[in-house]
Every structure is written in C-alpha cells, then in structure tokens.
Amino acid sequence: MVIRSCNLETVCGPTSTLPKNDLPEVAFAGKSNVGKSSLINAVMNRKALARVSAQPGKTQTINFYNINDEIYVVDLPGYGFAKASEKERESWGKMIETYLNTSDMIRAVFLLVDIRHAPSANDKQMFEWMDYVGYDPIVIATKADKIKRSQLDKQIKILREGLGAGKDTIIVPFSSQTKQGLDTIQDFLDQVIEN
Ligand code: GDP
C-alpha cells in the first residue's frame, strides 16, 4: 500500500457522536502500552502521527485516520491501564462497545497483544466481544523483536489458548522495530480497499 496522504480526521471522546463515514474502516484495539501507536505509525509510514506514549493510558479517545481517502484506520482507546479509575475503565469499555456495535463501515478488527505474555482478562474479554459482535478478530502479537525465533511457536500457542481463539484465527507476529509483519497488515488493508 502506498501512503499518499493520511490525516487524523476525527477524534471522539466518551460523549462525542461517532462519525458516519462512507469509507471502509479497520479498527485497532489493545491494552495501553502494547505498541498500538507504534504499529499505526508504521502502517501509515509516519514517525509520530499517532502519539507514542511513555506514560500509557491517558487518552481515552477513538481516533479516525483517513488514509488516501480510501480507508480509515481507527485507533480505539487503550484499555487495562492499571492507574485508571473505575469510571475511566467503564468509559473505554462503553466507547469500544458503542463503536463496534454502531459503525456500519468496519471491515476488519485487529486485537493487539504482547507476544511475550499470556493475554490478560481484558484481552480475552475484548477478543470475545469482537467475536460476539460478529467480527473475526485478527490478532497481532506485538514486540516480536523481544523474543527469540525459537520461542515464536510456543508464544503464539499461549496467545491462542489464552484468548480462547480457534485454529482459524489469524495471529500475526509484528515488530515496529524490525517491521516484521508489516507487509501482512498492509495486505489486509489493501484487501479491504479492493473489496
Ligand atoms: P500504545 O500505548 O499501545 O500506543 O503503545 P506505544 O506504541 O506507545 O508503545 C509503548 C512502548 O512500547 C513504547 O516505549 C514503545 O517504544 C515500545 N514499543 C512499541 N512497539 C514496539 C516493538 O515492536 N518492539 C519493541 N521492542 N518496543 C516497542
């Protein structure tokens, strides 16, 4: 995919009305600090359009990036931030739920999980949610540069089992440092644009 233009077109807070877009949308979810901003920047071939955070979990917004006037990359609020208040936690859940339930334009949903760790209860809940609303979430196993090649199969198995994902669920190892897996993710986006 050649990125000719990309811009942050809409930012929705907890009380905002979600936009009615007429381009296909692909959504990215994951707990804070999983590497979601880094992945979105890599996909858009930008250094810092999505803000990479040293302090995780502050912004609770849904961000719509318009790419080439062809597709929206939708950055869902990071969840599971340990210091978040009960109210904030409820707020991200509601926002994601409302988005997944109301947008007519979602063509793919990606769930990011850290390749090094067993999924958290929130990760599992998110996977089940996406599945329940009728999507086949594509799992992206982030920070793949942090494990040895020889550990890959084992870690993927841990993720699959931890999420309760079936054998058909696609799990893509990804690293924003080495760009491993970036082609695969861009191919998914190309497929969405072409369909
Ligand atoms: P977000 O909170 O999910 O948006 O995560 P960020 O993209 O802000 O990344 C959180 C931290 O993980 C930052 O310190 C990043 O530099 C680091 N990080 C993100 N992706 C990778 C990766 O693929 N490999 C490594 N080693 N570190 C990463």
Side-chain angles (χ1 to χ4, degrees):
M1 126 178 265
V2 180
I3 310 289
R4 294 186 304 277
S5 67
C6 65
N7 60 303
L8 177 53
E9 197 174 281
T10 313
V11 176
C12 292
T15 56
S16 315
T17 310
L18 290 163
K20 280 250 168 270
N21 290 321
D22 51 12
L23 295 175
E25 297 169 359
V26 292
F28 291 83
K31 70 173 176 229
S32 36
N33 219 31
V34 72
K36 187 156 53 63
S37 308
S38 303
L39 177 142
I40 290 173
N41 285 328
V43 167
M44 298 189 297
N45 198 16
R46 292 292 191 279
K47 281 219 160 59
L49 194 54
R51 208 169 45 85
V52 175
S53 53
Q55 277 182 307
K58 279 186 306 184
T59 43
Q60 297 284 307
T61 56
I62 301 182
N63 297 344
F64 292 79
Y65 295 92
N66 179 327
I67 300 188
N68 298 345
D69 273 325
E70 287 178 327
I71 191 169
Y72 284 100
V73 162
V74 181
D75 186 3
L76 296 172
Y79 55 81
F81 179 44
K83 286 190 191 148
S85 66
E86 196 59 41
K87 220 171 156 198
E88 284 166 327
R89 278 181 221 184
E90 241 176 64
S91 149
W92 70 251
K94 279 218 180 76
M95 284 169 80
I96 295 177
E97 189 181 19
T98 305
Y99 171 71
L100 291 178
N101 277 316
T102 56
S103 173
D104 299 331
M105 296 308 288
I106 304 171
R107 298 294 175 265
V109 296
F110 295 89
L111 176 62
L112 278 62
V113 287
D114 191 315
I115 202 162
R116 295 168 295 172
H117 310 300
S120 67
N122 280 328
D123 292 329
K124 188 159 196 265
Q125 185 192 8
M126 190 56 55
F127 183 84
E128 284 169 357
W129 224 348
M130 290 169 157
D131 188 53
Y132 178 77
V133 224
Y135 298 105
D136 285 325
I138 296 163
V139 176
I140 301 180
T142 63
K143 309 194 185 182
D145 57 283
K146 296 234 189 194
I147 62 162
K148 296 199 188 93
R149 291 255 151 176
S150 57
Q151 294 177 294
L152 187 65
D153 288 350
K154 189 178 133 233
Q155 292 309 115
I156 297 286
K157 188 161 178 262
I158 290 171
L159 293 185
R160 194 180 295 283
E161 283 172 3
L163 291 170
K167 59 176 175 10
D168 292 338
T169 296
I170 299 169
I171 302 184
V172 184
F174 174 79
S175 164
S176 56
Q177 300 223 322
T178 65
K179 306 289 186 276
Q180 177 188 351
L182 182 58
D183 283 356
T184 310
I185 295 166
Q186 287 178 327
D187 285 349
F188 283 124
L189 269 52
D190 283 332
Q191 277 171 36
V192 166
I193 292 168
E194 279 156 27
N195 282 325

